[in-house]
Amino acid sequence: MTTKSVVRRKLQLAFGSAVLALLVVGAICYRSMVESSESDQWVRHTEQVLEKLQDLLAAMQTAESNARGYLLTGDQSFLEVYRASAAKTRKDQSILRSLTADNAGQQERLDALATLVMRKFKFAETVLSLRHTNGLQAAAAAIQEGSGKQIMDDFQGLMGQMQDEELRLLKLREADAKRRLTQTKTVLILGTILGLLITSVAGLSIQRDNSESKDSGAKYRGLLEAAPDAMVVVNQGGEIVLLNVQTEKQFGYSRDELLGVKVKNIIPKGFAERLTADGTRTAAEALAQQIGTGIELIARRKNGTEFPIEIMLSPLESAEGILVTAAIRDISVRKAAEKHLAQMEGRYRGLLEAAPDAMVVVNQAGEIVLLNVRAEKEFGYSRDELLGQQVKNLIPQGFAERLISDGTRTAAEALAQQIGTGIELIGRRKNGTQFPIELMLSPLESAEGILVTAAIRDISVRKEAEKHLARMEGRYRGLLEAAPDAMVVVNPGGEIVLLNVQAEKQFGYSRDELVGQKVKNIIPEGFAERLVADALRSAEDALAQQIGTGIELIARRKNGSNFPIELMLSPLESAEGILVTAAIRDITTRKKAEANLLDKVGELNRSNEELGQFAYIASHDLQEPLRMVASYTQLLSRRYKGKLDADADEFIAFAVDGASRMQRLIQDLLTYSRVGTKGQDLLDVSSEGALQQALINLRSAIEDSGALVTHDPLPAVLADDMQLVQLFQNLVGNAIKYQSSGIPKVHISAARNGANKWVFSVKDNGLGIDPQYFEKIFGMFQRLHKREEFAGTGIGLAICKKIVERHGGSISVQSEPGHGSTFQFALAGGEQKS
């Protein structure tokens, strides 16, 4: 009755504690979920502000673009869209003011933004009125002389500040939401585990209490008989009170002959003495020192023979006090193996341990006599567990059978057929799991005869890779064939392993003629070289530098004709290592278009002032929709990066890069078209002041590169101040950019040439230029380096040439590859200041 009462109380206490723990956890989790929900709401709020900022920017850009459309064409439909966009900007401002009511800084920026919007539309109305009353020429002149562009630039700058502030808040709020969610999960998991632990401990305690009431002999009989070793239970007097069948067999006694007999009869020395109390320790302390330790002793059978044993001791509670359970293992085989091992170890231990694979040495009976640490790790056994065991325990089928003699061959002949051959079999670890292996066998002479040394390699990764490659080929075949461009897959050896129909058509080969061939057969130069390791980078690093970059090269068809191509590379994992997938696009048409564009640029150089005005307005209208595309793609990149698949991230990155490059190109074309059209009159200006302004504009590039820019005292010259700044900025910027290594050094000087001419020199320590390209570099879209090496549009030096020629001078360069460059241009001197 008392026992049941105790059990009941323990049960009640356990479940009460578990329920209390779960209630506490539930309360904490509820609070955490409320806080997490609030954090999520702030994240969505910030995203809503960012979207509304983009809407306001888009409305402003649409209004400006349609106003210019009306200016150019006089079409009333443009004017209607302009009016609607103007109304939408007012609505968007009102929504933004409501959304950012909690942010004083954003409210101040909205006040400044409202002023800019009012000024912008007031200026637009003035220009539209001029177009209606006085025509296009009057409106164009008002645009160039007015402040519309400056207002729009200020507006976009202020919008950028507001977006940056919201992105900063978004990052903080996302981190806070993630932290609160993690805290909730952690508390929930720990609380659940705590409740389960309390319940489990109580259950185990109850089970133990119930078990103690049962007969101890009946309880342990099944356990003892199931043990693989001999098992004896000894009381505090050193008498055997329980044993199993293995003990009878091992020692040659019957059960009745051992029960009640002193354990010293079968283990004469070392066992009973280790468990006896003395003046410094109790019997319990003596036992505690031996628990869990493998003790090697000598045992004696009934017939008087002795043999080595290993004992593992553990305590056993009973009504009589603490009993001792001893697991007794006959280690005669192991000792014999250790003796043999000691003889062989001196010769072979170093060789086995130096091997990168698992190594086992097997005798003619199929028993393991030697192994290395790798074998222990590979199969999960200790050395003692494997020595003397059958190799079939590790490799169940195929190994031992290959070495057995039959009616047609001896064991030596059986072994000889396997030597040097990689045999694929299945290995089995201690935990029962199986894995694929490859064996390499070799003979080893010993006193016992011919032993077999087996190098065992885990080929799980290789097998998985082979399966992956088979799946990959089936999976990617459809993708390759669906691609609009030629597609080839190249292995690390530069050989083509996969291609599509477009590649066959483009190069004039059949599939069988290309598979297995070197990629150099169709792309002679530049492709394979870009992927080769050198002293400074690995093959992986070489590939990484090309990924996602459009590389322009020359390809060769089967008939020997060459044609220009653009490559886009991406990595592809396979059993052979990293393969390279190349999308190959024929850009013959594009190259012809670029040539035509150069012709058009030549016509632009010969245009009159009216064409220059039109080019200004048209180029500005090209920028407006492009700004919208760039803004939205940048927002997509920031907001969804890492949340979509890898292809989506890559495509968005391409769009962002393309829009940025197009913006730079249009800006440079616009700058080029302005030179010599309607600029300022040539006046006395300080060339040193113009240089200082150019260096301010280049401050970021100078700081990032650590460039050292110096100059001599510079004179006053007769020039257009803004264009002189542009001239210095382009030349110094190129000097900083075109560097291979080291700190860029640039020096600007001027020397008098004739009565009223000054020759300016911009000298650098950069890459240098081959003399054959001296004239070419001043042309439109002329580049000496690939876009992936140095960013740019190829228009900068053409702008410099046009500026200098407008001032009645000329520009030239002196350079050698690897020894820097010196650009020189001449300008008329200004009046000397007293």
Side-chain angles (χ1 to χ4, degrees), residues 232-247:
V232 297
V233 180
V234 180
N235 64 19
Q236 294 179 3
E239 297 168 343
I240 299 172
V241 296
L242 210 58
L243 67 146
N244 65 355
V245 173
Q246 285 295 331
T247 307

Side-chain angles (χ1 to χ4, degrees), residues 525-685:
E525 294 179 358
F527 183 7
E529 292 82 353
R530 288 170 182 265
L531 308 180
V532 176
D534 54 34
L536 300 177
R537 61 182 184 174
S538 64
E540 289 80 0
D541 291 338
L543 173 60
Q545 292 179 359
Q546 319 299 328
I547 297 302
T549 304
I551 307 166
E552 293 186 2
L553 298 173
I554 299 297
R556 180 182 296 152
R557 300 186 181 92
K558 183 178 180 179
N559 61 13
S561 61
N562 293 335
F563 63 105
I565 59 172
E566 183 179 70
L567 289 178
M568 288 289 288
L569 307 180
S570 60
L572 187 64
E573 294 184 3
S574 77
E576 301 178 60
I578 298 296
L579 306 180
V580 179
T581 301
I584 305 170
R585 177 168 296 173
D586 184 346
I587 56 172
T588 303
T589 303
R590 191 175 83 191
K591 287 295 183 182
K592 290 179 179 178
E594 289 177 357
N596 291 335
L597 180 59
L598 288 176
D599 293 337
K600 296 297 182 184
V601 171
E603 295 175 9
L604 183 62
N605 289 336
R606 296 186 295 272
S607 64
N608 56 24
E609 182 175 333
E610 182 179 353
L611 183 58
Q613 292 174 345
F614 182 81
Y616 172 80
I617 296 174
S619 297
H620 200 277
D621 279 343
L622 282 175
Q623 286 181 306
E624 294 311 314
L626 191 58
R627 283 197 195 105
M628 188 183 304
V629 172
S631 296
Y632 276 110
T633 52
Q634 288 168 5
L635 179 60
L636 282 173
S637 177
R638 289 193 297 265
R639 183 169 176 183
Y640 294 105
K641 186 172 184 180
K643 297 181 181 179
L644 305 175
D645 57 36
D647 286 343
D649 284 346
E650 183 179 16
F651 297 156
I652 292 173
F654 288 160
V656 171
D657 179 64
S660 298
R661 283 162 49 193
M662 182 60 76
Q663 283 182 312
R664 291 196 300 269
L665 179 60
I666 291 175
Q667 189 61 45
D668 283 353
L669 283 172
L670 190 57
T671 301
Y672 185 87
S673 68
R674 286 171 176 163
V675 177
T677 56
K678 188 178 179 182
Q680 299 177 1
D681 294 332
L682 301 186
L683 304 172
D684 285 341
V685 296

Side-chain angles (χ1 to χ4, degrees), residues 357 378 429 435-438 456-462:
D357 297 319
E378 200 78 74
R429 299 187 179 93
F435 61 105
I437 60 173
E438 184 180 68
I456 305 170
R457 177 168 296 172
D458 182 350
I459 57 172
S460 303
V461 175
R462 191 178 82 193

Side-chain angles (χ1 to χ4, degrees), residues 349 353 358-360 371-384 386:
R349 170 59 56 196
E353 296 301 347
M359 301 289 292
V360 297
L371 67 147
N372 65 357
V373 172
R374 285 296 309 170
E376 298 180 66
K377 293 180 179 177
E378 200 78 74
F379 290 93
Y381 290 92
S382 68
R383 187 181 304 271
D384 293 340
L386 285 179

Side-chain angles (χ1 to χ4, degrees), residues 41 55 249 279 415 684 763 827:
Q41 289 176 2
D55 290 345
K249 292 179 180 179
L415 173 61
D684 285 341
K763 184 176 182 180
L827 297 177

Side-chain angles (χ1 to χ4, degrees), residues 152-170:
M152 195 63 182
D153 289 342
D154 292 343
F155 174 83
Q156 290 176 332
L158 197 54
M159 287 288 289
Q161 293 177 21
M162 294 186 71
Q163 287 176 331
D164 290 342
E165 171 65 12
E166 292 300 325
L167 287 172
R168 182 186 69 81
L169 292 174
L170 179 62

